[in-house]
Amino acid sequence: MTIWTFKLEPLYRTSDPNKPRPSYEDVRLTPWQVALDAFDLCCNLRGIGWNWSKGLHLPKETRRTDSRILFILSTLRSFILTVIIFDVLHYTVQSFGWETFGSGSGGTIFGDESEPAVLRYPRATLVAFLSGLTICLGIQVGYYMLSLIGLVVFQNDPKTWPPIFDTPWFATSLADFWARRWHQAFRDLFVSCGSKPLARVFGRMGTVMGAFLISGILHVTGLWGMGRGTEFWTVAGYFLVNGVGLILERLWKQLTGRRVQGVCGNVWTMIWVVGWGVFLVDAWARKGLVGSVFFTQDTRPMNIVIRHLSSLYKSVPS
């Protein structure tokens, strides 16, 4: 008979997660330190500097961490640039279907069924690809914003705010994409609530599928928050099928003795991630998520650019 036990470990700051926790006598907490810890635990989802971040992959830092001012200025510059690129991509995605999925009313990215499939499906794939980049940059914008708050208001160490992504478009396998290059913000949640419990029942396969199951449920819940219902198999199915893809990569290694890697691995990864992503993005689009508004009409970067270009065009003598 298997007995399920759960052990709650206290959270504490440490430079090495493998070190034993300090005794209570060694810990002196001021009200300000409590506020710092509370902010860090709410925003530092990867557990950097805490005892629960074991096995975490951190992307290489390209900003200078020896100077707080330079690090903040570099982060601010990246924040502004990312906001602009994010809005350009979001605007582009919406422009494919202003009257349908580009608006809050929602609609399918596959377009009108009367159109030839040779036009509909490549266009839907392009929309899915651009949507993925938009999501990536949107997460980046939020991360930069939290970074600036942590650095300026709470005086965090720059080393506690490393990059959240590791160039996912260069991934050479699904394992590389999901375990290293995509953000690891929910890694602890997926491992503790998905991988470990299912591994007890299904072994190594449960480790993989458990993590993607929890990821799927998380995204299903997020879509349900739109107030228009949800689609479990369309949304969660995307993440479950990526778990299947990882298992296929392991089987390939067992059969051939070679890992999925290199240029072929990159092509395989993009086809799997974007190909199945078409159905995920279509579900989001039909619920009106693509029509989300992040700026007012007057402050939206793309609208500002269009207004300036329009005024320049009108000022040119005919």
Side-chain angles (χ1 to χ4, degrees):
M1 177 180 178
T2 301
I3 299 177
W4 294 78
T5 59
F6 298 91
K7 184 179 180 181
L8 297 178
E9 294 287 349
L11 303 179
Y12 57 90
R13 291 182 181 272
T14 177
S15 58
D16 184 357
N18 296 311
K19 287 184 178 179
R21 69 183 178 88
S23 62
Y24 290 110
E25 291 77 13
D26 297 333
V27 179
R28 298 290 183 269
L29 294 178
T30 63
W32 178 244
Q33 187 61 50
V34 171
L36 289 176
D37 289 350
F39 171 81
D40 209 39
L41 287 171
C42 288
C43 303
N44 183 6
L45 299 180
R46 291 179 290 180
I48 300 171
W50 292 82
N51 62 310
W52 50 276
S53 60
K54 297 178 181 179
L56 183 66
H57 168 72
L58 296 179
K60 183 180 180 181
E61 182 60 80
T62 57
R63 296 163 293 179
R64 289 185 57 180
T65 58
D66 57 339
S67 171
R68 174 182 294 275
I69 297 299
L70 291 179
F71 190 86
I72 290 174
L73 291 176
S74 178
T75 303
L76 179 61
R77 180 187 61 187
S78 297
F79 170 73
I80 295 172
L81 182 62
T82 305
V83 167
I84 295 172
I85 299 175
F86 162 78
D87 191 55
V88 170
L89 285 173
H90 189 210
Y91 186 94
T92 302
V93 170
Q94 289 179 322
S95 67
F96 277 93
W98 281 120
E99 302 299 326
T100 54
F101 66 82
S103 66
S105 59
T108 178
I109 65 174
F110 289 105
D112 193 336
E113 293 185 358
S114 62
E115 295 180 322
V118 71
L119 295 178
R120 295 171 58 212
Y121 289 96
R123 183 176 58 197
T125 303
L126 177 60
V127 169
F129 175 72
L130 293 176
S131 296
L133 292 178
T134 305
I135 293 167
C136 183
L137 289 173
I139 295 172
Q140 193 77 266
V141 167
Y143 184 71
Y144 282 140
M145 185 181 299
L146 291 175
S147 300
L148 291 170
I149 295 173
L151 292 164
V152 176
V153 178
F154 293 97
Q155 297 294 295
N156 290 163
D157 187 334
K159 294 180 180 178
T160 62
W161 290 98
I164 193 168
F165 287 103
D166 190 2
T167 55
W169 36 87
F170 291 146
T172 55
S173 68
L174 290 173
D176 184 36
F177 182 91
W178 292 111
R180 292 172 54 85
R181 296 187 179 274
W182 194 249
H183 74 80
Q184 305 293 295
F186 301 111
R187 179 182 180 277
D188 186 70
L189 171 66
F190 297 159
V191 170
S192 58
C193 297
S195 293
K196 290 183 177 179
L198 265 68
R200 290 173 177 260
V201 181
F202 300 106
R204 195 170 183 180
M205 185 179 295
T207 301
V208 175
M209 297 306 295
F212 282 101
L213 174 61
I214 299 301
S215 178
I217 292 174
L218 177 69
H219 287 82
V220 165
T221 305
L223 186 60
W224 174 72
M226 291 288 294
R228 297 178 179 178
T230 191
E231 299 178 21
F232 182 86
W233 289 113
T234 308
V235 179
Y238 170 75
F239 297 95
L240 291 172
V241 81
N242 270 274
V244 173
L246 259 75
I247 293 173
L248 291 176
E249 289 185 352
R250 290 182 176 179
L251 289 175
W252 171 262
K253 184 179 179 181
Q254 291 175 0
L255 292 173
T256 66
R258 294 179 296 177
R259 294 185 302 170
V260 176
Q261 58 185 343
V263 176
C264 291
N266 179 255
V267 173
W268 148 263
T269 303
M270 291 300 104
I271 289 176
W272 197 270
V273 170
V274 178
W276 291 107
V278 170
F279 304 102
L280 173 64
V281 173
D282 184 57
W284 284 341
R286 285 185 281 102
K287 300 299 182 184
L289 193 60
V290 177
S292 298
V293 176
F294 298 96
F295 310 92
T296 65
Q297 289 298 314
D298 292 333
T299 61
R300 184 170 189 177
M302 274 301 293
N303 287 342
I304 294 175
V305 171
I306 291 172
R307 284 200 301 270
H308 278 78
L309 290 177
S310 177
S311 61
L312 287 174
Y313 176 78
K314 291 178 181 178
S315 64
V316 175
S318 56

